[in-house]
Coordinates of all heavy atoms in Angstrom, one line a residue:
P10 N -10.9 -75.2 50.5 CA -10.9 -76.4 51.2 C -12.2 -77.2 51.0 O -12.1 -78.5 50.9 CB -10.8 -76.0 52.7 CG -11.1 -74.5 52.7 CD -10.7 -74.0 51.4
A11 N -13.3 -76.6 50.9 CA -14.6 -77.3 50.7 C -14.6 -77.9 49.3 O -15.0 -79.1 49.1 CB -15.8 -76.3 50.7
V12 N -14.1 -77.2 48.3 CA -13.9 -77.8 46.9 C -13.0 -79.0 46.9 O -13.4 -80.0 46.3 CB -13.4 -76.7 45.9 CG1 -13.1 -77.3 44.5 CG2 -14.5 -75.6 45.8
C13 N -11.9 -78.9 47.6 CA -11.0 -80.0 47.7 C -11.6 -81.3 48.3 O -11.5 -82.4 47.9 CB -9.7 -79.7 48.4 SG -8.6 -78.5 47.5
V14 N -12.3 -81.1 49.4 CA -13.0 -82.1 50.1 C -14.1 -82.8 49.3 O -14.2 -84.0 49.2 CB -13.6 -81.7 51.5 CG1 -14.5 -82.8 52.1 CG2 -12.4 -81.3 52.4
I15 N -14.9 -81.9 48.6 CA -16.0 -82.4 47.8 C -15.4 -83.3 46.6 O -15.9 -84.4 46.3 CB -16.9 -81.3 47.2 CG1 -17.6 -80.6 48.4 CG2 -17.8 -81.8 46.1 CD1 -18.3 -79.4 48.0
M16 N -14.4 -82.8 46.0 CA -13.8 -83.5 44.8 C -13.1 -84.8 45.3 O -13.1 -85.8 44.6 CB -12.8 -82.6 44.1 CG -13.4 -81.4 43.4 SD -12.3 -80.5 42.4 CE -11.9 -81.7 41.1
S17 N -12.5 -84.7 46.6 CA -11.9 -85.9 47.1 C -13.0 -87.0 47.4 O -12.8 -88.2 47.0 CB -11.3 -85.6 48.4 OG -10.7 -86.7 49.1
I18 N -14.1 -86.6 47.9 CA -15.2 -87.6 48.2 C -15.7 -88.1 46.9 O -16.0 -89.4 46.7 CB -16.3 -87.0 49.0 CG1 -15.8 -86.6 50.4 CG2 -17.5 -87.9 49.1 CD1 -16.8 -85.8 51.2
L19 N -15.8 -87.3 45.9 CA -16.3 -87.7 44.5 C -15.3 -88.7 44.0 O -15.7 -89.8 43.4 CB -16.4 -86.5 43.6 CG -16.9 -86.8 42.2 CD1 -18.3 -87.3 42.2 CD2 -16.8 -85.5 41.3
G20 N -14.0 -88.4 44.0 CA -13.0 -89.4 43.5 C -13.0 -90.7 44.2 O -12.9 -91.8 43.6
I21 N -13.1 -90.7 45.6 CA -13.2 -91.9 46.3 C -14.4 -92.7 45.9 O -14.3 -94.0 45.7 CB -13.3 -91.6 47.8 CG1 -11.9 -91.0 48.3 CG2 -13.6 -92.8 48.6 CD1 -11.9 -90.5 49.7
C22 N -15.6 -92.1 45.8 CA -16.8 -92.8 45.5 C -16.7 -93.4 44.1 O -17.1 -94.6 43.9 CB -18.0 -91.9 45.6 SG -18.4 -91.3 47.3
I23 N -16.2 -92.6 43.1 CA -16.2 -93.2 41.8 C -15.2 -94.3 41.7 O -15.4 -95.4 41.1 CB -15.7 -92.0 40.8 CG1 -16.7 -91.0 40.6 CG2 -15.3 -92.6 39.4 CD1 -16.2 -89.8 39.9
G24 N -14.0 -94.2 42.4 CA -13.0 -95.3 42.4 C -13.5 -96.6 43.0 O -12.9 -97.7 42.6
Q25 N -14.5 -96.6 43.8 CA -15.0 -97.8 44.4 C -15.8 -98.6 43.4 O -16.0 -99.8 43.5 CB -15.9 -97.5 45.6 CG -15.2 -96.8 46.7 CD -13.9 -97.4 47.2 OE1 -13.9 -98.5 47.6 NE2 -12.8 -96.7 47.0
Y26 N -16.3 -97.9 42.3 CA -17.1 -98.6 41.3 C -16.4 -98.8 40.0 O -16.5 -99.8 39.3 CB -18.4 -97.9 41.2 CG -19.3 -97.8 42.4 CD1 -19.2 -96.7 43.3 CD2 -20.1 -98.9 42.7 CE1 -20.1 -96.7 44.4 CE2 -20.9 -98.9 43.9 CZ -20.8 -97.8 44.7 OH -21.6 -97.8 45.9
Q27 N -15.7 -97.7 39.6 CA -15.0 -97.8 38.3 C -13.8 -96.9 38.3 O -13.9 -95.7 38.3 CB -16.0 -97.4 37.2 CG -15.4 -97.6 35.8 CD -14.9 -99.0 35.5 OE1 -15.7 -99.9 35.4 NE2 -13.6 -99.2 35.5
P28 N -12.6 -97.4 38.2 CA -11.4 -96.6 38.1 C -11.4 -95.8 36.8 O -11.9 -96.3 35.8 CB -10.2 -97.7 38.0 CG -10.8 -98.9 38.7 CD -12.3 -98.9 38.3
L29 N -11.0 -94.5 37.0 CA -10.9 -93.6 35.8 C -9.6 -93.7 35.1 O -8.6 -94.2 35.7 CB -11.2 -92.2 36.2 CG -12.6 -91.9 36.8 CD1 -12.7 -90.4 37.2 CD2 -13.7 -92.3 35.8
P30 N -9.5 -93.3 33.8 CA -8.2 -93.3 33.1 C -7.2 -92.5 33.8 O -7.5 -91.5 34.4 CB -8.6 -92.8 31.8 CG -10.0 -93.0 31.6 CD -10.6 -92.9 33.0
F31 N -5.9 -93.0 33.8 CA -4.8 -92.3 34.3 C -5.0 -91.9 35.8 O -4.5 -90.8 36.3 CB -4.5 -91.0 33.5 CG -4.2 -91.3 32.1 CD1 -5.1 -90.8 31.1 CD2 -3.1 -92.0 31.7 CE1 -5.0 -91.1 29.8 CE2 -2.9 -92.2 30.3 CZ -3.8 -91.8 29.4
C32 N -5.7 -92.8 36.5 CA -5.8 -92.6 38.0 C -6.5 -91.3 38.4 O -6.3 -90.7 39.4 CB -4.5 -92.7 38.8 SG -3.5 -94.2 38.4
L33 N -7.4 -90.8 37.5 CA -8.0 -89.6 37.8 C -8.9 -89.5 39.0 O -8.9 -88.5 39.7 CB -8.8 -89.1 36.6 CG -9.3 -87.6 36.5 CD1 -8.0 -86.7 36.5 CD2 -10.1 -87.4 35.3
D34 N -9.5 -90.7 39.3 CA -10.3 -90.7 40.6 C -9.4 -90.6 41.8 O -9.7 -89.9 42.8 CB -11.1 -92.1 40.6 CG -10.3 -93.3 40.5 OD1 -9.6 -93.4 39.4 OD2 -10.2 -94.1 41.4
I35 N -8.2 -91.3 41.8 CA -7.2 -91.1 42.8 C -6.7 -89.7 42.9 O -6.5 -89.2 44.0 CB -6.0 -92.1 42.7 CG1 -6.5 -93.5 42.6 CG2 -5.0 -91.9 43.8 CD1 -5.4 -94.6 42.4
T36 N -6.5 -89.1 41.7 CA -6.0 -87.7 41.7 C -7.0 -86.8 42.5 O -6.6 -85.9 43.2 CB -5.9 -87.2 40.2 OG1 -4.9 -88.1 39.6 CG2 -5.4 -85.8 40.2
F37 N -8.3 -86.9 42.2 CA -9.3 -86.2 42.9 C -9.2 -86.4 44.4 O -9.3 -85.5 45.2 CB -10.7 -86.5 42.4 CG -11.1 -85.9 41.0 CD1 -12.1 -86.4 40.3 CD2 -10.3 -84.9 40.5 CE1 -12.4 -86.0 39.1 CE2 -10.6 -84.4 39.2 CZ -11.7 -85.0 38.5
A38 N -9.1 -87.7 44.8 CA -9.0 -88.1 46.2 C -7.8 -87.4 46.9 O -7.8 -87.2 48.1 CB -8.9 -89.6 46.3
L39 N -6.8 -87.1 46.1 CA -5.5 -86.6 46.7 C -5.6 -85.1 47.0 O -4.7 -84.6 47.8 CB -4.4 -86.8 45.7 CG -3.9 -88.2 45.5 CD1 -2.9 -88.2 44.3 CD2 -3.3 -88.8 46.7
L40 N -6.6 -84.4 46.5 CA -6.6 -82.9 46.6 C -6.4 -82.4 48.0 O -5.7 -81.3 48.2 CB -7.8 -82.4 45.9 CG -7.8 -82.5 44.4 CD1 -9.1 -82.1 43.8 CD2 -6.6 -81.8 43.7
P41 N -7.1 -83.0 49.0 CA -6.9 -82.4 50.4 C -5.4 -82.4 50.8 O -5.0 -81.6 51.6 CB -7.7 -83.4 51.3 CG -8.8 -83.8 50.4 CD -8.1 -84.0 49.1
F42 N -4.6 -83.4 50.4 CA -3.3 -83.5 50.8 C -2.5 -82.3 50.2 O -1.6 -81.7 50.8 CB -2.6 -84.8 50.3 CG -3.2 -86.0 51.0 CD1 -3.6 -87.1 50.2 CD2 -3.4 -86.0 52.4 CE1 -4.2 -88.2 50.8 CE2 -4.0 -87.1 52.9 CZ -4.4 -88.2 52.2
F43 N -2.8 -81.9 48.9 CA -2.1 -80.7 48.4 C -2.5 -79.5 49.1 O -1.7 -78.6 49.3 CB -2.5 -80.6 46.9 CG -1.9 -81.7 46.0 CD1 -2.7 -82.8 45.6 CD2 -0.6 -81.7 45.7 CE1 -2.1 -83.8 44.8 CE2 0.0 -82.7 44.9 CZ -0.8 -83.7 44.5

């Protein structure tokens, strides 16, 4: 759970400045839902 939250926060922060290819930043943000 900690890894999922950390990667989620990382994805959210990256996405606010620069979207990654193939929505990878959103993918990281989604991990808590999985």
Side-chain angles (χ1 to χ4, degrees):
V12 171
C13 288
V14 170
I15 291 170
M16 292 186 69
S17 175
I18 295 172
L19 180 64
I21 290 171
C22 292
I23 292 173
Q25 301 308 299
Y26 296 98
Q27 184 58 71
L29 295 181
F31 304 111
C32 307
L33 194 59
D34 56 297
I35 301 178
T36 300
F37 287 162
L39 293 171
L40 290 175
F42 298 130
F43 292 104

